[in-house]
Amino acid sequence: MNVYLDNAATTRIDPRVLKAMMPYLSEKYGNASSIHALGQDNNLILEQTRAAIAGLLKAETSGLLFTSGASEANNYILRGIMSANKAKGKHLVVSAIEHPSVLQTARELSRAGYELDIAPVDADGRVDLKALKKIVREDTALVSVMAVNNEIGTIQDLEAIAQIAHAKGAYFHSDIVQAIPYLRLDLKKMGIDACSLSAHKFYGPKGIGASYVRPGIKINNLISGGEQENGRRAGTYNLAGIVGMGTALELAYKERSVYLKDVKLLRDYLWKSLKKEIPEIKLNGGLKYRSANNLNIRFGRIEGEAILMDLSLRGIYVSTGSACSAHNLKSSSVLSAIGLADYDLNCNIRFTLGRFNNKKEIDYTVKNLKKTVARLRAFSPVK
Ligand SMILES: Cc1ncc(COP(=O)(O)O)c(C=O)c1O
């Protein structure tokens, strides 16, 4: 049996999404910027999809720009807004648990002359709002806090954070990659001025995402050299990907109850079974503000990498550390930010469930994990 429990790294494409994409990979191959009919027919589809995505997010259509994914969108928004709004100030604030495409970009900006402050989080990974209030200043141009954390699933109070940013006239950006399909976001109502998303996290294709920047906000280009996106991003449109992302987002919104109910039931069942079957385990972060699909568990006395490899041999796929880029065996800065001791930083496994999982798979996982843990602990030098 193969069990895929790494849905925060990527999801399997929904067959309905693939079907919607196929014509744009075959007979409808025209470049959406071409003036002839094959191009213009596709341009219509492109703009219809843009409007549909913006409509679902309750955003203004003209602010939505297609990118190669969320890493590009995060880079574009941080670099583009900071460099275009120097008159407001050169101060940038990001949370301590941001994805590297935000955190490393912010650090690079600080090396290039911008001022950076990192907002601390509590033991659940939630931004400390009191501390944030003190950090945001009159010269803060941008505050960036993700909606849902990719490692521990923490859901932030985005409305409160937006208010704190806006009180000082700063823009608020949120990386909403892991929030879809689990949260219903209304960008306008929540005060989100800019956001980034990525289709492959919600059963769409890889290599396509979007950035949203509320019209009227000044932003500089990241990729130049073409007139696509009204001159805001160069590069031929990935229409098949765009159509796939539109279809996936529509399904995510329409079928949200599946994620909220069925995935959460399975996730809770996994946690209950693990607690019953395996001693010396702890949940990293709390359950209250956690995305319905996530468990991040600390296994006393054994290394996460060893557990991951053993499970992989048994056909069970999970992740450890900063799981979007798990080649990097550095310990997790997210777990460090929520207060884990150094000796606990390498004993963790992230399980992220999805709509294609079932109870049989969870039983198989618990049964095998029990064996894996017992075997590894028998060799552990830490008693
Ligand atoms: C929270 C978060 N932001 C950004 C990204 C990067 O997305 P992409 O793979 O589309 O570049 C990921 C995952 O890799 C993520 O989990």
Side-chain angles (χ1 to χ4, degrees):
M1 186 186 260
N2 280 344
V3 185
Y4 184 73
L5 297 176
D6 200 12
N7 285 278
T10 197
T11 55
R12 177 176 175 171
I13 197 164
D14 187 306
R16 294 168 293 180
V17 171
L18 188 60
K19 190 166 170 223
M21 290 170 67
M22 284 314 279
Y24 301 96
L25 293 167
S26 47
E27 72 270 21
K28 297 185 178 180
Y29 54 83
N31 185 328
S33 304
S34 295
I35 294 165
H36 51 67
L38 205 58
Q40 286 308 295
D41 289 351
N42 279 355
N43 197 272
L44 196 65
I45 299 296
L46 170 79
E47 293 309 329
Q48 282 170 354
T49 309
R50 191 192 309 275
I53 293 175
L56 288 170
L57 296 172
K58 299 280 188 288
E60 290 179 52
T61 304
S62 64
L64 194 84
L65 186 149
F66 296 111
T67 63
S68 63
S71 297
E72 180 192 325
N74 285 336
N75 269 269
Y76 168 56
I77 288 169
L78 262 69
R79 293 177 197 278
I81 289 185
M82 290 310 293
S83 63
N85 290 275
K86 286 184 197 148
K88 160 75 168 126
K90 291 179 79 178
H91 185 226
L92 166 69
V93 179
V94 309
S95 92
I97 60 167
E98 293 303 305
H99 185 266
S101 56
V102 166
L103 209 50
Q104 279 183 28
T105 302
R107 292 207 171 103
E108 281 175 24
L109 285 169
S110 96
R111 285 194 288 275
Y114 293 88
E115 243 189 286
L116 171 67
D117 269 311
I118 309 271
V121 296
D122 65 17
D124 285 346
R126 292 200 114 202
V127 167
D128 178 339
L129 298 178
K130 269 193 193 147
L132 184 68
K133 253 187 205 155
K134 286 188 190 149
I135 291 172
V136 180
R137 321 184 303 218
E138 295 298 335
D139 66 338
T140 305
L142 182 66
V143 175
S144 178
V145 177
M146 69 204 318
V148 172
N149 180 263
N150 47 305
E151 290 188 46
I152 56 174
T154 308
I155 301 170
Q156 301 289 347
D157 185 348
L158 297 182
E159 277 161 299
I161 295 167
Q163 279 173 16
I164 293 171
H166 292 161
K168 298 282 173 166
Y171 296 125
F172 176 48
H173 164 248
S174 187
D175 171 342
I176 63 168
V177 165
Q178 297 285 346
I180 301 168
Y182 296 97
L183 304 184
R184 186 178 286 272
L185 299 167
D186 181 329
L187 300 190
K188 208 176 251 168
K189 210 160 114 197
M190 297 172 89
I192 300 172
D193 301 304
C195 73
S196 321
L197 60 150
S198 179
H200 73 101
K201 308 290 184 173
F202 51 91
Y203 307 94
K206 292 166 187 58
I208 184 72
S211 66
Y212 175 73
V213 178
R214 187 164 51 74
I217 296 179
K218 281 193 274 178
I219 181 159
N220 288 331
N221 285 359
L222 184 69
I223 303 175
S224 305
E227 284 311 305
Q228 293 88 353
E229 300 285 8
N230 285 323
R232 291 176 301 168
R233 181 199 187 258
T236 303
Y237 293 110
N238 170 4
L239 189 61
I242 290 166
V243 167
M245 180 162 67
T247 309
L249 192 68
E250 198 185 311
L251 290 170
Y253 271 65
K254 218 190 300 174
E255 298 173 359
R256 198 165 147 263
S257 58
V258 176
Y259 303 99
L260 284 180
K261 201 165 123 255
D262 300 0
V263 175
K264 184 171 183 302
L265 271 178
L266 271 188
R267 191 278 310 267
D268 291 345
Y269 175 65
L270 171 62
W271 179 221
K272 209 171 113 201
S273 311
L274 289 176
K275 278 192 292 186
K276 191 167 144 226
E277 298 293 336
I278 303 177
E280 291 180 69
I281 60 170
K282 284 204 176 93
L283 186 65
N284 293 315
L287 270 181
K288 189 168 169 196
Y289 301 109
R290 195 179 202 102
S291 177
N293 66 333
N294 176 293
L295 280 183
N296 188 312
I297 294 174
R298 190 149 91 235
F299 293 82
R301 299 191 287 118
I302 41 178
E303 294 230 333
E305 303 299 333
I307 300 174
L308 181 149
M309 293 313 294
D310 205 81
L311 287 182
S312 178
L313 292 173
R314 297 166 189 266
I316 300 164
Y317 309 120
V318 295
S319 76
T320 169
S322 309
C324 291
S325 56
H327 298 300
N328 169 355
L329 294 185
K330 268 196 325 208
S331 46
S332 157
S333 59
V334 172
L335 297 179
S336 192
I338 64 166
L340 259 67
D342 284 352
Y343 55 81
D344 276 335
L345 288 178
N346 294 314
C347 312
N348 305 288
I349 291 288
R350 178 185 75 175
F351 301 89
T352 45
L353 285 74
R355 65 175 302 162
F356 298 123
N357 291 124
N358 58 49
K359 190 163 175 284
K360 252 193 194 151
E361 293 179 349
I362 300 301
D363 289 333
Y364 177 80
T365 300
V366 175
K367 191 175 104 192
N368 280 281
L369 188 57
K370 193 176 170 182
K371 287 185 201 156
T372 295
V373 169
R375 195 175 73 76
L376 294 172
R377 281 195 180 137
F379 298 127
S380 172
V382 190
K383 296 292 169 202

